[in-house]
Amino acid sequence: MQPLLTLSFSVQQAIAEKKPILAMESTVLTHGLPFPKNLEILQTLEDICRKLAVEPATIIILDGKIHIGITQAEKEILQHKMESGEDIQKFGMRDIPYATAYKKSGGTTVSATMLLAYKAGIKVFATGGIGGVHRFWNETLDISSDLKALAEIPVIVVSAGCKAILEIPATLEVLESYGVPVLGWKTDEFPAFYSRTCGKKIDRIENAKDIAVIYNAMLKLYPYPTGILVANPVPEKDEIPYSKMDKYITAAIAAAKAKNISGKELTPFLLADLAEKTKGQSVQSNLALLKNNIIIGAQIAKELQ
Ligand code: PSU
Ligand code: MN
């Protein structure tokens, strides 16, 4: 039997040297951002992380192999697959066993990345935004498995909140029901991805050290420790006001409904529609907040080490 996880040489080395490691999600790249810019962004994010003396571990599945950290050669394989139009899938937590059995390739969502980071012994990872409770959830029951993963897996997730394509108050309610701490990085308000605020209050934290204290207290207290959601607002200069985004979002959701798009296709469809309608402004904002989350994630990884 092959080992379940393939750790890159640099990640193995970082583990051996007790160097801090930050895991990175890949669906945000494969399905949240356009090709070929997504691969450039991947490189930029990894470079930022390395400059901060933290080893980036991009998590992705290629031909059924679960990679914790990818090499240059594997990035080229991914690029080739994308260029040739091969089916690069989106893998949530439940899709991983199938992907390994049938040698599929794809990006891992927040839920899948949490699970795989945990298995690899990595405690923190950075992403763009988490999935959550979708608008019209009471008709569709569409609630992201990211919330289930946050409820069950003790990994710290650094995000810019969740996208306003979701029903944000309902998403926060579910996180509260599941006992998941939601912490605002130097903010009292939950950020809404492209926008810095959404009017919902959360607990404020001032530094990475306090996150480590909270994480360790949770591990000691909870019989079943959960994840922790760190919400880091997009930088001011890259913010798109909620009022401006909201009309595009409403239109994108209506378009998805008209085209009968549901399930895991929904989020990528909405993101692509927003990128088009905002003439790339949403992509720019997405990149800025990703970089920002890597920086905070790296600080937390160092603090936990
Ligand atoms: N939110 C974003 N960009 C993304 C995603 C969410 O702003 O790319 C991706 C993440 O990978 C997240 C997933 O985990 O979508 C959630 O998908 P679903 O709603 O199908 O669970
Ligand atoms: Mn869903």
Side-chain angles (χ1 to χ4, degrees), residues 32-264:
L33 291 159
F35 176 82
K37 202 171 164 77
N38 51 3
L39 296 180
E40 265 172 54
I41 292 174
L42 167 63
Q43 196 56 52
T44 308
L45 297 177
E46 288 195 348
D47 290 346
I48 292 174
C49 196
R50 285 204 181 90
K51 270 203 191 115
L52 296 167
V54 172
E55 183 60 33
T58 300
I59 296 184
I60 195 164
I61 302 179
L62 296 174
D63 301 311
K65 247 179 158 182
I66 299 170
H67 292 275
I68 311 290
I70 50 174
T71 61
Q72 186 53 37
E74 284 148 4
K75 280 177 202 159
E76 279 159 25
I77 292 172
L78 177 64
Q79 175 171 8
H80 179 77
K81 285 181 187 294
M82 289 189 145
E83 257 161 14
S84 62
E86 198 183 309
D87 187 19
I88 300 292
Q89 301 187 8
K90 170 184 166 189
F91 298 132
M93 186 158 64
R94 73 153 177 193
D95 303 311
I96 303 170
Y98 186 87
T100 55
Y102 282 88
K103 312 256 178 290
K104 302 285 182 191
S105 301
T108 50
T109 67
V110 168
S111 69
T113 311
M114 282 186 86
L115 179 68
L116 297 173
Y118 177 74
K119 279 279 163 194
I122 304 172
K123 295 177 185 139
V124 52
F125 94 85
T127 179
I130 62 156
V133 179
H134 279 268
R135 296 190 194 181
F136 306 108
W137 63 272
N138 53 338
E139 288 166 30
T140 60
L141 270 183
D142 191 347
I143 300 175
S144 175
S145 62
D146 291 356
L147 298 183
K148 182 179 184 287
L150 278 160
E152 294 177 350
I153 305 169
V155 166
I156 300 168
V157 179
V158 185
S159 71
C162 70
K163 209 160 273 179
I165 57 172
L166 300 170
E167 176 95 37
I168 298 177
T171 301
L172 288 170
E173 289 295 344
V174 172
L175 288 168
E176 182 181 351
S177 303
Y178 287 166
V180 178
V182 178
L183 309 174
W185 180 265
K186 298 185 200 291
T187 179
D188 303 295
E189 272 195 53
F190 192 66
F193 202 81
Y194 303 118
S195 335
R196 290 174 57 85
T197 59
C198 73
K200 285 276 161 194
K201 292 272 180 251
I202 50 173
D203 288 331
R204 180 188 185 104
I205 34 140
E206 298 293 346
N207 55 55
K209 194 159 173 234
D210 293 347
I211 296 177
V213 172
I214 292 167
Y215 181 69
N216 287 321
M218 187 196 61
L219 291 185
K220 284 193 194 135
L221 277 170
Y222 285 25
Y224 302 103
T226 66
I228 288 185
L229 181 62
V230 175
N232 178 30
V234 63
E236 247 161 88
K237 66 173 178 30
D238 301 295
E239 177 176 27
I240 313 177
Y242 187 83
S243 54
K244 180 172 172 187
M245 247 4 240
D246 198 51
K247 62 174 194 280
Y248 293 128
I249 290 168
T250 308
I253 291 172
K257 216 169 177 183
K259 289 187 177 169
N260 251 326
I261 290 168
S262 65
K264 66 180 182 182

Side-chain angles (χ1 to χ4, degrees), residues 13-33:
Q13 213 172 20
I15 292 172
E17 291 169 3
K18 300 204 185 323
K19 186 178 160 189
I21 303 175
L22 176 66
M24 289 180 7
E25 189 221 321
S26 51
T27 291
V28 59
L29 300 165
T30 58
H31 289 73
L33 291 159

